[in-house]
Amino acid sequence: MTPKIMIILGSGSDIAIAEKAMDILDKLEIPYSLKIASAHRTPNLVREIVAQGTDAGIEVFIGIAGLAAHLPGSIAAYTPRPVIGVPVDVKTGGLDALESIVQMPYPSPIATVGIDRGDNAAILAAQFIGLHDDEVHKKVIELRKEYAMKVIDSNEKIIQTIDRPFIQNDYLRIKNLEINKFDVDEENSGCKNRDAEVAIIVGRQTDVATAKKITKLLDRLKITYDMKVVCPIRSHKKFINYVKSMKNAKIFIGVSSNSSQVTGGIVGLTARPVIGVPCTNENGDDYMLTTVSMPPGVPVATVGINNGRNAAVLAGEILSIDNPEIVDLLEKLKDKKITF
């Protein structure tokens, strides 16, 4: 049986991070392959296992590396399949590896997850595969429910055991709390194309310029999309209504500066893949760390700062897993046969 996912480690010392990914893939019952190959010490080995793996049917690659962390980028050079990058904390808290992986040049995106987050890489890979495999998608939904229940159950296991004179443990006790469902108003959701393959959500008007780079490239790749400017903090009802109304979207792209609340809001509302585009604000501050550093269970496939074009290419790579036409368009784009 050909595995669907290939995990490549830059060094044997990264095995603990790979084990996080393998634990998730075992749980989801998704076959995978595990290899060790260095982008710098064994570049030919990287080329061959990626090229041959792609030809054999690998659908998603996960590259795990620390320090200079060029492995995920090297993988991307030899495959049209989506590549997920996991930076490893070896030095400088892993920030060196994170910067190396996420700040890829156009048109070679890496879907980057948080430092040491092999588990989130596996979930993200499963989300990609789940776009054309309903059984995998259902398993991802069930896994997300388990993560949610861990949070809910911790109220009983932790909070209820605290004994202090002024704490009121039974006030709004979580196990007795009724959670009301959000009533979706699709007619007033602001969706222009409810059947679009990609939904783009922009947090601020100042980030629209980056979002337009996404739409321009999606047009070239013949991928349908819908776009809305809405902030989950200032207009939370409109935000939830839009995400829920775009239930046919296969991929969500969040474009935001200022704490990156857009991507964080989207992942809480959908089990579909979420791509994050961190932007710089008017003060020159960027929000890459608040986009990529997501907790276990809710990954965001982060691309480089203000790099809307790479977000579009990544969306194309994800959708091309079962769409040869997009593969052809991506190959032309990467060969610079398409100009913009």
Side-chain angles (χ1 to χ4, degrees):
M1 177 173 57
T2 301
K4 292 179 178 291
I5 297 168
M6 179 178 283
I7 304 170
I8 305 178
L9 313 181
S11 168
S13 61
D14 300 328
I15 190 63
I17 309 305
E19 286 174 344
K20 294 181 181 181
M22 290 188 286
D23 287 345
I24 295 294
L25 296 177
D26 288 342
K27 189 178 186 67
L28 295 174
E29 299 179 312
I30 300 174
Y32 58 89
S33 173
L34 181 67
K35 306 294 179 187
I36 299 175
S38 169
H40 308 114
R41 291 167 289 186
T42 59
N44 291 339
L45 178 59
V46 173
R47 182 190 67 235
E48 288 305 318
I49 61 177
V50 172
Q52 292 183 36
T54 299
D55 291 342
I58 294 291
E59 297 180 357
V60 183
F61 289 86
I62 298 176
I64 302 176
L67 301 174
H70 295 155
L71 177 61
S74 296
I75 295 171
Y78 303 114
T79 182
R81 298 303 183 204
V83 180
I84 299 171
V86 186
V88 177
D89 178 7
V90 179
K91 300 287 185 181
T92 68
L95 290 176
D96 48 359
L98 175 59
E99 294 278 0
S100 294
I101 294 172
V102 76
Q103 298 288 16
M104 289 291 291
Y106 166 80
S108 301
I110 301 298
T112 309
V113 296
I115 296 167
D116 291 346
R117 288 263 67 95
D119 45 2
N120 272 355
I123 294 169
L124 193 60
Q127 289 178 319
F128 293 173
I129 293 169
L131 293 180
H132 60 92
D133 188 325
D134 289 339
E135 288 302 313
V136 171
H137 179 60
K138 290 175 183 177
K139 290 175 182 177
V140 170
I141 292 174
E142 291 303 312
L143 181 64
R144 285 169 58 92
K145 289 179 181 178
E146 290 184 22
Y147 277 102
M149 286 308 301
K150 287 181 181 178
V151 175
I152 294 171
D153 290 345
S154 64
N155 283 279
E156 294 297 314
K157 294 178 179 179
I158 299 175
I159 303 301
Q160 291 303 128
T161 63
I162 297 175
D163 184 15
R164 288 177 175 268
F166 290 98
I167 189 169
Q168 302 294 311
N169 285 338
D170 289 331
Y171 177 72
L172 293 180
R173 192 164 178 174
I174 298 301
K175 74 172 187 177
N176 300 326
L177 194 66
E178 182 179 353
I179 308 296
N180 297 313
K181 290 185 177 181
F182 183 85
D183 293 326
V184 179
D185 181 7
E186 293 192 11
E187 294 302 318
N188 297 302
S189 64
C191 302
K192 295 179 181 178
N193 183 3
R194 196 170 283 111
D195 294 322
E197 297 168 284
V198 176
I200 305 166
I201 304 178
V202 190
R204 309 172 75 206
Q205 286 291 342
T206 52
D207 300 329
V208 170
T210 297
K212 286 184 177 179
K213 295 179 182 178
I214 301 173
T215 61
K216 185 176 181 180
L217 202 51
L218 290 178
D219 283 335
R220 295 283 184 169
L221 295 174
K222 299 180 182 179
I223 296 172
T224 59
Y225 60 86
D226 193 79
M227 185 174 80
K228 186 173 179 62
V229 179
V230 59
C231 175
I233 304 302
R234 293 191 293 264
S235 307
H236 68 278
K237 289 184 178 179
K238 291 181 179 179
F239 181 87
I240 296 172
N241 198 42
Y242 179 77
V243 174
K244 291 292 187 181
S245 295
M246 291 298 297
K247 56 182 178 291
N248 294 325
K250 295 179 178 179
I251 297 171
F252 287 82
I253 300 178
V255 183
S256 61
S257 55
N258 293 357
S259 298
S260 304
Q261 293 285 350
V262 170
T263 49
I266 298 171
V267 295
L269 298 172
T270 180
R272 294 302 189 187
V274 178
I275 299 172
V277 187
C279 297
T280 50
N281 68 6
E282 56 275 9
N283 297 319
D285 300 321
D286 71 71
Y287 293 85
M288 185 261 288
L289 286 177
T290 54
T291 303
V292 74
S293 298
M294 295 297 292
V298 282
V300 170
T302 304
V303 297
I305 298 165
N306 298 328
N307 204 334
R309 293 193 299 175
N310 262 2
V313 173
L314 179 56
E317 289 176 340
I318 297 167
L319 294 173
S320 73
I321 290 174
D322 64 343
N323 189 330
E325 182 181 354
I326 299 178
V327 174
D328 291 340
L329 291 171
L330 284 169
E331 287 180 350
K332 292 177 181 178
L333 184 152
K334 291 182 179 183
D335 288 338
K336 297 185 179 180
K337 293 178 180 177
I338 297 178
T339 57
F340 301 91

